[in-house]
Amino acid sequence: MKRLATVQDLSCLGKCSLTVALPVISAMGIECAVLPTAVLSTHTGFPGNTCLDLSGELLPMARHWHSLGVHLDGISTGYLANAAQCQQVAELLSLFPGVPLFVDPVMGDNGKLYRGMAPEFPRAMARLCARASVILPNLTEAALLIGRPYPNSPDQGQLEAILEELLALGCDSVVLTGLEQGDLIGVAVQTRGQAPAFHFAPRVPKSFHGTGDIFSAVTVGSLLRGFGLSAAAQAAASFVATCLQAADPTQEPYGVPFETCLPLLWKGL
Ligand code: PXL
């Protein structure tokens, strides 16, 4: 069985980050080892959350794994609690040379940095992206990574320029999410030296916390199961759409009912 190590927070209520990555990756028949970056009472979409920063634990935990000679097939990152953790992930990576890194640069949405993120965070995240095989930013995170203003309704040419600038950070491939075009929602996928591909599908007009984390987990799981990048991103988009269709809009901060959709992941392999 393949083994993924995922580095992200444990938000104890409000399904996102580890509480979605663990079940999703497991349902795809991949072992999911976890390196928690912080423990929060809820994600930051609820007011007044607690946060225990685990920066002091990340490298000791990784060094312990290393001392056991553990084999990893991939390392993925999600929400990191501060800029120092971006550097720590880079150090952790050097303990496991040759293991592909998948970075979801979780920083913001709708043109804004998430509450509690320091202004210097995007630059630290951009340095981590340089080490990645694949990065999975949404449009807000893409703009923050390349230091440009958030583009409202970018056209094809602008999107292609953004993809090129993201690749210039140093990663091998980009999956750019959250591209809205009328009633459609899409992703753009590009690998260095190749043409970009755009995949659009009908948009489910609901917005829920944690769907970006579900998208990343399914994409990374699909890649580890041998899918190509476009097929992996499309499988993830379709899974998120199914979860959104089943979601009750009054439960927005609690996340989507992905649990009942998990069998679809196994069937899709
Ligand atoms: O879903 C992204 C995410 C992950 N982790 C924490 C968050 C958020 C988004 O708000 O607050 C702690």
Side-chain angles (χ1 to χ4, degrees):
M1 186 180 283
K2 294 219 164 150
R3 181 185 288 124
L4 174 76
T6 190
V7 190
Q8 43 190 324
D9 69 285
L10 177 58
S11 284
C12 298
L13 179 75
K15 293 174 277 186
C16 69
S17 38
L18 279 184
T19 60
V20 303
L22 254 173
V24 163
I25 295 296
S26 305
M28 298 183 80
I30 298 163
E31 179 183 338
C32 185
V34 303
L35 288 167
T37 56
V39 179
L40 296 86
S41 52
T42 65
H43 60 63
T44 61
F46 288 90
N49 63 280
T50 68
C51 181
L52 173 67
D53 185 320
L54 294 178
S55 299
E57 291 297 311
L58 278 187
L59 281 170
M61 286 167 72
R63 287 192 195 108
H64 178 225
W65 289 3
H66 180 249
S67 76
L68 301 174
V70 69
H71 173 80
L72 301 177
D73 296 289
I75 298 173
S76 73
T77 69
Y79 180 94
L80 301 179
N82 53 52
Q85 286 190 349
C86 298
Q87 174 57 29
Q88 290 178 350
V89 173
E91 285 176 43
L92 181 165
L93 196 64
S94 40
L95 294 174
F96 300 97
V99 175
L101 175 69
F102 306 96
V103 175
D104 182 350
V106 177
M107 294 191 279
D109 212 350
N110 303 313
K112 291 202 204 84
L113 259 188
Y114 284 135
R115 175 164 66 78
M117 293 253 161
E120 69 270 18
F121 187 85
R123 289 192 59 195
M125 183 56 87
R127 283 194 290 274
L128 179 59
C129 287
R131 311 281 298 266
S133 298
V134 183
I135 64 170
L136 304 106
N138 62 28
L139 204 49
T140 301
E141 291 155 349
L144 289 164
L145 285 173
I146 60 178
R148 299 211 177 269
Y150 176 66
N152 273 310
S153 349
D155 60 26
Q156 175 97 3
Q158 285 170 302
L159 288 173
E160 288 181 9
I162 291 169
L163 287 164
E164 286 298 340
E165 285 195 67
L166 289 167
L167 285 169
L169 295 175
C171 54
D172 300 327
S173 301
V174 176
V175 178
L176 179 60
T177 65
L179 311 179
E180 295 191 11
Q181 233 175 53
D183 293 342
L184 303 177
I185 179 110
V187 295
V189 170
Q190 188 170 13
T191 295
R192 179 184 306 285
Q194 297 179 17
F198 292 83
H199 305 287
F200 283 89
R203 186 161 62 93
V204 183
K206 298 179 193 169
S207 167
F208 275 76
H209 258 87
T211 50
D213 301 339
I214 295 175
F215 179 90
S216 295
V218 178
T219 304
V220 171
S222 302
L223 291 171
L224 289 187
R225 294 297 308 224
F227 288 46
L229 199 57
S230 273
Q234 287 176 87
S238 146
F239 185 73
V240 168
T242 305
C243 294
L244 279 170
Q245 271 152 5
D248 171 356
T250 66
Q251 299 298 302
E252 190 283 322
Y254 292 92
V256 293
F258 72 90
E259 296 88 339
T260 53
C261 306
L262 287 175
L264 295 172
L265 290 175
W266 183 250
K267 284 193 202 123
L269 293 177

